Amino acid sequence: MTARRLMILILVLICGVATTPAVSVPASVVPADNAPTVIPFELIARHIFVKIKVNNSEPLSVIFDTGDKFAIIDLDRAKSLGLKLEGEINVGGAGAGVLKGAYVKESSFTVPGLEGFTQPVTLALPLDMLEPNFGHDVDGIIGADFIKQFVVEVDYPARLLRLHDKQKFSYSGPGEIISIRFDQGGHPIIHGEVMLRGRDPIKGEFVIDLGSGGSLALHRPFVEEQHLPSPDQKTIRAMGGGGTGGEITGRVGRIAGFRIGKFTIDNPITMFSTDAKGALANASIQGNIGEQIMSRFKILLDYDRNRIILEPNAKFKEPMDRASSGLKILAEGKDYRTFRIKEVLEDSPATEAGLQKADLITAINERPTAELTLTQLLEQFERAVPYRLTVRREEQTLRVTITPRKMV
């Protein structure tokens, strides 16, 4: 499942959004010994969630997203906090839909543990449609305008962001420095190579999108131009992906490899988009690189120097061999502990087990699912072992066994 990459470029072109005011970062933000400020994060459905406060509110959960530029707050949350909203804006993202929101005036956010820092909140957009996909509140999104105030180190295994003083930062580690450029929406773009069996590598430009829980997503114009996937290539229907613009469409398979600098990811899961609108129909770049690739590195986002630095971590050489259940599951209820099947993939372990759309999964191996988060439930289904499910279908209670398997 992938969240969304907000295409603020659409907003800039259509609505004439002014540049976000410059933010001064006081010296007190970075400790006197020049050690980085450490911010913990949660990894929820392969997305980085951090805590912020808006106008001294209670802590809010927001997505850290390199595919976003401005600080965004959920529209309903903005109203509940009494924020000043003006005008109407339309923003597109992954999928073909458009969100209607408003500008936020005279509000700012702070980050617990990051003393002396404050930054304006720019937009209010309805984000509640994302919450069932995460099983978690989505109070907002922060992106490039925050990142560029620091050198941001993303350490997935430790679940930490380390914020370095960008003026004093100097790198001398074992990683590789990769040049980036930014599009008008503030999204970081790098050069990469798509490696196909029996063909020369294909060079292209790709968005580094930490707001995507996917692996590699190739945009529809590139897919069509390169005649992908090949007729003899095994693929399955893309299911479970989407974002602020709604569901995305395409096929999921694999390519021989994907190269960034000197690093090659072998046999990565790849989505071949068929979207006619939205971010994945963008012809100016060739694709998006999501968490399933980027989490194999320690990442240093050094926007002031137009670069990122990649250091492979212990996960780098692990094959992408997770199993699939063939289920799209959403979390319902105020506590997100009611798990309903939204969609069932054809010819999958789910269909073989007799599961159907709208079924409620109430227990796994006799353990009530109310004791699990959606992330924990989905991670279980990535292992190719049998699971005994208790399922409620209307007035019936069923017990079925499902064995996820590698499908591509």
Side-chain angles (χ1 to χ4, degrees):
M1 178 181 63
T2 174
R4 40 7 43 253
R5 170 174 159 253
L6 289 175
M7 294 297 290
I8 300 299
L9 173 58
I10 297 173
L11 180 63
V12 174
L13 295 176
I14 296 177
C15 306
V17 173
T19 303
T20 302
V23 180
S24 61
V25 183
S28 60
V29 167
V30 179
D33 61 0
N34 204 33
T37 299
V38 178
I39 306 296
F41 69 79
E42 292 184 88
L43 195 65
I44 299 171
R46 295 198 169 92
H47 291 72
I48 294 172
F49 278 71
V50 298
K51 296 294 187 182
I52 67 169
K53 294 183 177 184
V54 175
N55 292 356
N56 294 315
S57 70
E58 74 278 9
L60 305 177
S61 292
V62 301
I63 298 171
F64 174 86
D65 184 1
T66 56
D68 164 58
K69 185 179 190 307
F70 304 108
I72 298 166
I73 188 169
D74 171 65
L75 185 60
D76 286 341
R77 178 65 70 179
K79 292 176 180 177
S80 72
L81 293 175
L83 304 189
K84 182 178 180 181
L85 305 177
E86 291 185 0
E88 183 177 289
I89 57 176
N90 299 303
V91 179
V98 174
L99 295 180
K100 295 184 181 296
Y103 301 102
V104 180
K105 302 294 183 181
E106 301 170 10
S107 293
S108 60
F109 76 91
T110 56
V111 179
L114 188 58
E115 299 301 324
F117 174 86
T118 184
Q119 191 170 57
V121 178
T122 305
L123 306 175
L125 297 173
L127 302 176
D128 56 314
M129 86 295 288
L130 300 174
E131 295 174 341
N133 294 284
F134 292 109
H136 197 279
D137 290 341
V138 180
D139 294 315
I141 306 168
I142 58 174
D145 281 352
F146 173 77
I147 295 168
K148 68 184 181 183
Q149 305 306 318
F150 312 93
V151 173
V152 179
E153 177 182 337
V154 183
D155 187 340
Y156 278 99
R159 303 289 193 266
L160 295 175
L161 302 180
R162 298 184 182 93
L163 309 181
H164 299 265
D165 185 331
K166 64 182 181 180
Q167 303 299 332
K168 299 178 181 178
F169 179 78
S170 177
Y171 183 75
S172 58
E176 181 169 5
I177 296 172
I178 309 289
S179 296
I180 58 175
R181 71 173 182 87
F182 298 93
D183 66 13
Q184 288 177 281
H187 311 126
I189 297 172
I190 67 167
H191 291 285
E193 292 186 13
V194 172
M195 303 168 70
L196 305 171
R197 290 176 179 83
R199 297 173 60 176
D200 292 335
I202 305 168
K203 295 181 179 180
E205 290 192 310
F206 300 84
V207 173
I208 297 292
D209 189 0
L210 302 189
S212 164
S215 171
L216 176 66
L218 299 179
H219 292 190
R220 179 187 58 80
F222 179 76
V223 166
E224 292 179 348
E225 176 186 291
Q226 298 297 330
H227 306 289
L228 300 174
S230 60
D232 60 346
Q233 185 172 355
K234 183 178 181 180
T235 62
I236 59 175
R237 176 170 57 87
M239 187 181 70
T244 54
E247 296 292 321
I248 60 175
T249 62
R251 305 289 299 179
V252 175
R254 292 178 184 266
I255 59 173
F258 184 71
R259 183 176 295 140
I260 306 172
K262 66 182 180 183
F263 303 114
T264 299
I265 307 297
D266 294 324
N267 206 30
I269 295 171
T270 303
M271 206 277 279
F272 305 96
S273 174
T274 58
D275 281 359
K277 295 181 180 179
L280 299 186
N282 181 7
S284 66
I285 55 176
Q286 283 62 60
N288 285 30
I289 309 168
E291 184 273 345
Q292 293 180 47
I293 288 177
M294 298 309 298
S295 64
R296 295 165 180 266
F297 300 93
K298 178 187 289 185
I299 307 161
L300 288 149
L301 302 168
D302 190 354
Y303 282 11
D304 254 24
R305 298 175 179 87
N306 295 311
R307 66 182 187 173
I308 64 170
I309 302 166
L310 301 180
E311 292 183 11
N313 60 30
K315 186 180 175 182
F316 180 74
K317 286 295 185 181
E318 290 182 6
M320 287 192 189
D321 59 357
R322 73 179 191 274
S324 173
S325 66
L327 292 172
K328 178 176 181 179
I329 302 170
L330 299 182
E332 300 178 348
K334 289 185 178 180
D335 62 355
Y336 304 108
R337 297 301 174 102
T338 300
F339 302 111
R340 187 181 300 276
I341 296 174
K342 174 68 181 304
E343 195 173 354
V344 178
L345 183 67
E346 55 276 5
D347 301 320
S348 70
T351 56
E352 293 160 7
L355 293 167
Q356 298 179 9
K357 180 179 179 179
D359 286 350
L360 290 175
I361 301 174
T362 59
I364 299 179
N365 294 338
E366 315 307 326
R367 181 184 181 184
T369 51
E371 298 177 3
L372 302 172
T373 65
L374 179 61
T375 296
Q376 291 170 332
L377 185 151
L378 296 177
E379 286 176 348
Q380 288 195 43
F381 287 153
E382 292 180 355
R383 296 190 288 271
V385 297
Y387 294 97
R388 300 184 306 278
L389 306 185
T390 303
V391 174
R392 191 165 76 242
R393 182 179 299 162
E394 296 180 345
E395 302 303 318
Q396 302 179 68
T397 297
L398 308 174
R399 288 177 174 80
V400 303
T401 297
I402 184 172
T403 305
R405 65 174 183 270
K406 183 177 172 181
M407 297 190 66
V408 293

